[in-house]
Amino acid sequence: MLSRLRAHKVSFKHALDGFVHNIKTQPNFRFHLLATLCVVLLGIYFSISYFEWLTLVFTVNMVMVAEMVNTSIESMVDLITLERREDARIAKDVSAGMVLISALMAVIVGSLIFVPKIISAL
């Protein structure tokens, strides 16, 4: 039982290390964290509903996970080869595209939630 707890503690530490690595090394991840802070502050200011919070939480999660998967794919490609190869470029471009699409969808979700509230506050 105690060894399982230690194993979970070690796993959690590795996961936290990965999160911190992204914060320290990935400017886009830091931008997404800043955007998340802005969204949270807007949500508090406009007293958004439970469903709107739930939608934002899932949307933010999607963007953060996509950014971390992108970092993982880029790191693995760099580990496998430093040569300029077409398949390596495609892997990196597609993973970057995943982040772009998730971020664009997050902007749409945020707009659907906040634009009507901003307009009615004017």
Side-chain angles (χ1 to χ4, degrees):
M1 176 73 166
L2 194 56
S3 65
R4 275 193 194 173
L5 287 176
R6 280 192 204 116
H8 287 299
K9 182 180 174 184
V10 169
S11 294
F12 183 78
K13 183 189 177 318
H14 290 311
L16 191 57
D17 288 345
F19 180 72
V20 170
H21 171 80
N22 256 44
I23 292 171
K24 287 181 177 179
T25 65
Q26 303 300 312
N28 290 337
F29 191 77
R30 290 192 298 271
F31 174 80
H32 292 306
L33 285 175
L34 177 63
T36 298
L37 176 63
C38 292
V39 165
V40 168
L41 292 175
L42 276 172
I44 292 168
Y45 179 78
F46 286 113
S47 299
I48 63 175
S49 71
Y50 177 81
F51 180 74
E52 290 168 327
W53 276 117
L54 189 62
T55 303
L56 288 177
V57 166
F58 279 107
T59 302
V60 166
N61 178 67
M62 177 184 64
V63 174
M64 296 298 186
V65 168
E67 190 68 58
M68 293 180 84
V69 169
N70 179 51
T71 300
S72 297
I73 290 171
E74 288 181 352
S75 295
M76 287 302 296
V77 168
D78 290 344
L79 177 66
I80 294 167
T81 182
L82 292 176
E83 298 172 31
R84 292 209 174 260
R85 294 178 44 168
E86 181 65 11
D87 50 356
R89 184 193 64 78
I90 290 169
K92 287 184 170 190
D93 287 354
V94 169
S95 68
M98 168 184 56
V99 177
L100 177 63
I101 295 298
S102 66
L104 289 174
M105 292 298 118
V107 168
I108 291 170
V109 168
S111 296
L112 290 171
I113 292 172
F114 290 115
V115 167
K117 295 177 185 322
I118 292 169
I119 290 172
S120 68
L122 297 176

